Amino acid sequence: GRHFNVVLATAHTPLKKVPGLVREKLLLQACIAAEHLRRSLTLKSNKPLGLLGLNPHAGEQGLIGREDFVVAKAIRSLRQKKLSIVGPLVPDAAFLEKNWKNYSVFVCLYHDQGLIPFKMIHGKDSGAQVTLGLPFIRTSVDHGTAKDIFGKNVAQPGSMIDAIQICLRLSQGGYHV
């Protein structure tokens, strides 16, 4: 996106299953993918990744669930690997405008944690989706199928333009994310 970028640790997963999926290995994979994306797109290259917590207030050090202990453990492991990362970030404050410039990529634990703020800020006019972890480059519009406006001649091309431009940038650099 033009203002900030997100990587999702889980895909289209029901919310009730997310806590069971939040494991150190998953978070390490998501953060390493986010780091590859950051380097590939030269996104705010001197800024750290921001890894969100799962619970309100990032768990308040165990007062609101223990799931965020695994987030903190993953952050320690990534720092040992010399990855620049901050967190666990408080989910309800992470996407405040004042934070956009602080992180190269926000790593979110589930779909809506990252995509609701992303789409509220970027709308359907900008932003693109990059599928990470594939042996080829795949980009797409960020807004889905837009069936609600099909045939009405009201579509905005911004997200498609962003998706094509990102694909071109990635392919010209020979990068795979």
Side-chain angles (χ1 to χ4, degrees):
R2 291 192 178 110
H3 302 293
F4 58 85
N5 298 283
V6 299
V7 165
L8 306 176
T10 60
H12 291 99
T13 303
L15 187 57
K16 69 181 181 178
K17 292 184 179 182
V18 172
L21 297 174
V22 176
R23 300 284 181 250
E24 185 177 5
K25 181 178 178 182
L26 174 79
L27 299 177
L28 296 176
Q29 291 170 336
C31 290
I32 290 168
E35 175 64 9
H36 287 297
L37 176 67
R38 182 193 66 78
R39 277 190 262 140
S40 297
L41 296 176
T42 60
L43 299 168
K44 302 176 188 170
S45 57
N46 61 340
K47 302 294 181 186
L49 301 176
L51 178 57
L52 275 67
L54 179 64
N55 291 304
H57 308 280
E60 293 280 1
Q61 299 175 334
L63 293 175
I64 308 175
R66 301 182 57 81
E67 294 86 357
D68 292 298
F69 288 157
V70 74
V71 176
K73 185 177 179 189
I75 289 169
R76 288 191 298 275
S77 295
L78 291 161
R79 286 182 181 153
Q80 288 176 349
K81 298 176 188 296
K82 306 295 184 214
L83 194 94
S84 180
I85 187 164
V86 174
L89 301 178
V90 175
D92 66 357
F95 294 100
L96 295 174
E97 186 174 357
K98 69 180 184 176
N99 293 327
W100 299 349
K101 64 183 182 293
N102 295 332
Y103 308 102
S104 57
V105 178
F106 290 95
V107 181
C108 302
L109 303 186
Y110 59 96
H111 183 276
D112 289 357
Q113 187 182 52
L115 293 184
I116 288 173
F118 185 88
K119 290 179 180 184
M120 288 198 58
I121 299 302
H122 296 95
K124 292 185 177 189
D125 300 335
S126 69
Q129 193 267 346
V130 179
T131 304
L132 304 175
L134 297 176
F136 53 88
I137 298 167
R138 181 194 178 275
T139 63
S140 67
V141 296
D142 184 57
H143 54 66
T145 61
K147 289 181 183 178
D148 57 324
I149 61 170
F150 181 77
K152 296 180 180 176
N153 199 25
V154 296
Q156 298 293 318
S159 185
M160 177 60 84
I161 292 168
D162 286 351
I164 292 168
Q165 289 175 337
I166 290 170
C167 184
L168 290 171
R169 283 172 56 193
L170 289 170
S171 64
Q172 289 170 350
Y175 295 111
H176 293 277
V177 290

